[in-house]
Amino acid sequence: MSLELIDGINKIHELLSTNIEAAWVVSLIEYVLVGLGFLTLYALIALFLIIFERKICAYFQCRKGPNRVGPWGIFQVFADMVKILIKEIIPLKHNDKLLYYAAPFIVIMGSLLTFGGLQFADGVHGVDFNVGVFYLLAVSSISIIGVMLAGWSSNNKYSLIGAMRSGAQVISFELSACLSMMAVVILGGSMNLSELMAAQNDVWFIFQSPFTVVALVIYLIAAHAETNRGPFDLPEAESELTAGYHVEYSGITFGFFYVGEYCNLFINAAIGTLVFLGGWQALHIPGCEGFNQVMDAIPSYIWMFGKTLVLIFLSLWVRWTFPRLRIDQLLKLEWKIMLPFSLANILLMAIWVVVTNN
Amino acid sequence: MSSYEIFVIVFIMALVMVLGGSVIGLLRSPKSTNDQKGEQYESGIPTRGTSWMQFKVGYYLIAILFLMFDVEAVLLFPWAVIVKGMGVEGLYAVSFFLVVLILGLAYAWRKGALEWK
């Protein structure tokens, strides 16, 4: 598929170049096409995840979930999207207008920029810097600024408490996510995602060292906490804070936070897949030629999205199973358990890499 | 198309998405006002005072600690890339750095900065 896609892109480029004289017009049209492609994929993934979560959650609770609009209720999410787009945006009296309307921009910006740094299939990727992993970590933490702004500018006590909790939680778990990815960077010897993918051609990183398994477990917990979900959903705890930082947002301005949250779920799972589980690489067992060829027959985008969906399902499973923690338990989990573990894991990983390489 | 160009495109697309959505929302949505509607939501009772006030110092401490460890992570990433080629020297070099860092964590732990008070 990926090769066909690249061929298709080249054909579009030729078609444009032959019909339009000015080179800058061709570039502009291509930029717009690429931008719209990213935006469409982003929105479709958000819509898919919303219906996916509603169905999964329903079956965990022995319900059917949405089942009226379309087969299995799959069009429910499109109906909801149109509804939220034309809902009233309630004008508030006492808020800080500039920061209040800037917050959704920053949340979506952080989320979409991270999305642009992912790899979706063999050769299909957007931003591919030499500091790839670092870039993903850096831009994914922009969103929290939007959350803090939303909470502060709403001039609402629920929002303020929710934003403060969210800030403390996200920046704390950011550390563990960062350090667990560093373990993989030590093993792979590069921060560039394409090079990390190439290093996982034969064996995924998860099978290359016992310490990447520890790193993956730490990463999954940290990434789950970063999305403000499941047992870590203190910022939005319905029973105490109603909705947390976005309680004052209405209509589509709320919708952006909602979309951002679901896309962050996908993005975190996708980063975990790319860095630990081989991304779009097929499952290979060294020495088993026949098995490897069968696995190679499956297209790379199916591997990528399949593995990502498994991680997302794991996240949903945790979310709908465990009861909520308290904020002190949450921060204790990060600072007293996960942080020492991930520091020790890095050191052990470095020793392991040095010993096995010499 | 280079990575930098795509970065700028995605950045602009994020702005376009939020701006476009907001404009559609503002144009198509119904509008109505009354005195109560613009008030802050506080579970139905009238709001008491402003919400821009002091908050718990615990969050501030967490942010300070985060700053320390995040800068450390930034410094460790370049080391992580080259440690494979450097061998044992790379381990020696970073172990001093990590010892100082872990001492810092131990100090904060001992002083009770990690407790939620």
Side-chain angles (χ1 to χ4, degrees):
Chain A
M1 174 264 181
S2 55
L3 287 174
E4 291 159 21
L5 188 80
I6 292 164
D7 281 347
I9 290 170
N10 286 337
K11 266 180 200 153
I12 292 173
H13 181 78
E14 281 171 24
L15 195 72
L16 287 174
S17 312
T18 47
N19 290 328
I20 301 167
E21 296 251 329
W24 67 272
V25 179
V26 176
S27 299
L28 193 69
I29 292 172
E30 282 176 352
Y31 290 164
V32 171
L33 285 179
V34 167
L36 287 179
F38 268 111
L39 212 54
T40 316
L41 193 61
Y42 183 82
L44 280 180
I45 282 173
L47 292 180
F48 170 73
L49 282 183
I50 289 168
I51 191 78
F52 186 66
E53 160 136 46
R54 287 185 68 178
K55 282 306 241 191
I56 294 280
C57 141
Y59 278 97
F60 273 120
Q61 299 169 343
C62 300
R63 299 185 282 120
K64 285 271 187 209
N67 59 355
R68 296 284 160 160
V69 193
W72 304 292
I74 52 172
F75 296 131
Q76 180 71 50
V77 67
F78 293 99
D80 284 350
M81 187 187 73
V82 174
K83 184 206 72 178
I84 209 167
L85 205 57
I86 58 174
K87 263 187 99 164
E88 179 172 8
I89 300 172
I90 296 171
L92 294 177
K93 276 185 194 162
H94 308 297
N95 61 347
D96 186 331
K97 295 276 186 308
L98 176 69
L99 298 184
Y100 180 81
Y101 288 109
F105 278 96
I106 296 174
V107 169
I108 289 290
M109 196 188 294
S111 165
L112 198 59
L113 283 177
T114 323
F115 188 75
L118 299 176
Q119 304 212 346
F120 301 102
D122 191 0
V124 180
H125 53 75
V127 180
D128 190 30
F129 289 140
N130 53 359
V131 288
V133 173
F134 200 60
Y135 166 82
L136 290 177
L137 284 167
V139 290
S140 65
S141 48
I142 291 177
S143 293
I144 187 60
I145 300 173
V147 169
M148 298 289 278
L149 282 186
W152 179 256
S153 65
S154 297
N155 194 2
N156 180 307
K157 293 171 186 90
Y158 293 130
S159 296
L160 183 68
I161 298 172
M164 287 303 154
R165 281 186 186 178
S166 186
Q169 174 180 333
V170 173
I171 62 174
S172 300
F173 282 89
E174 183 89 28
L175 284 177
S176 287
C178 197
L179 293 177
S180 60
M181 273 198 234
M182 199 184 291
V184 170
V185 172
I186 292 172
L187 187 63
S190 172
M191 284 196 271
N192 186 313
L193 271 179
S194 297
E195 284 177 32
L196 287 179
M197 288 298 105
Q200 301 184 71
N201 189 17
D202 295 331
V203 187
W204 299 347
F205 278 140
I206 182 89
F207 301 127
Q208 287 188 13
S209 158
F211 301 110
T212 41
V213 182
V214 181
L216 176 65
V217 172
I218 291 172
Y219 176 78
L220 286 181
I221 297 172
H224 190 78
E226 271 187 68
T227 46
N228 293 340
R229 299 165 70 77
F232 311 113
D233 63 347
L234 289 150
E236 321 183 354
E238 297 91 356
S239 47
E240 28 186 304
L241 293 180
T242 61
Y245 56 86
H246 51 58
V247 67
E248 288 291 356
Y249 282 84
S250 48
I252 188 65
T253 48
F254 162 74
F256 290 129
F257 287 102
Y258 198 60
V259 166
E261 185 191 326
Y262 276 93
C263 277
N264 280 342
L265 177 66
F266 173 81
I267 287 164
N268 279 327
I271 294 176
T273 307
L274 285 167
V275 173
F276 296 98
L277 297 178
W280 43 260
Q281 298 280 10
L283 178 63
H284 285 169
I285 299 174
C288 296
E289 281 307 315
F291 179 77
N292 292 350
Q293 276 171 7
V294 172
M295 288 295 142
D296 278 333
I298 303 173
S300 59
Y301 62 97
I302 289 186
W303 279 107
M304 177 65 203
F305 285 97
K307 281 184 273 192
T308 309
L309 267 188
V310 170
L311 288 191
I312 290 172
F313 178 75
L314 210 61
S315 181
L316 296 183
W317 194 355
V318 169
R319 176 178 185 183
W320 294 106
T321 305
F322 290 108
R324 185 179 297 142
L325 294 170
R326 267 198 332 259
I327 183 99
D328 62 324
Q329 294 168 331
L330 182 93
L331 293 171
K332 190 177 158 198
L333 170 71
E334 162 61 24
W335 290 96
K336 294 192 175 170
I337 300 170
M338 278 167 60
L339 189 65
F341 259 98
S342 31
L343 280 173
N345 189 42
I346 286 185
L347 210 55
L348 289 173
M349 182 59 139
I351 293 170
W352 195 84
V353 163
V354 168
V355 168
T356 50
N357 264 19
N358 296 332
Chain B
M1 207 174 284
S2 76
S3 290
Y4 296 97
E5 286 170 315
I6 297 178
F7 177 82
V8 174
I9 293 169
V10 173
F11 185 86
I12 292 170
M13 273 299 148
L15 299 183
V16 167
M17 178 177 171
V18 181
L19 208 61
S22 306
V23 167
I24 294 173
L26 283 173
L27 290 180
R28 295 299 306 153
S29 62
K31 287 174 189 66
S32 71
T33 48
N34 64 43
D35 285 349
Q36 299 295 311
K37 205 167 179 177
E39 292 295 329
Q40 314 305 320
Y41 172 69
E42 230 161 80
S43 299
I45 53 168
T47 320
R48 281 180 66 90
T50 177
S51 302
W52 289 326
M53 50 188 175
Q54 291 177 335
F55 53 87
K56 211 168 164 55
V57 70
Y59 297 110
Y60 173 76
L61 268 181
I62 293 293
I64 295 277
L65 282 173
F66 164 74
L67 206 59
M68 181 174 97
F69 280 93
D70 208 38
V71 172
E72 165 260 328
V74 172
L75 287 173
L76 274 182
F77 258 108
W79 164 79
V81 174
I82 55 165
V83 68
K84 203 172 185 177
M86 271 181 87
V88 185
E89 288 159 36
L91 282 181
Y92 287 146
V94 85
S95 59
F96 287 103
F97 181 70
L98 277 181
V99 162
V100 172
L101 195 79
I102 290 167
L103 277 180
L105 181 65
Y107 179 76
W109 196 323
R110 188 75 191 277
K111 278 285 181 184
L114 306 184
E115 306 292 333
W116 189 258
K117 288 190 286 279

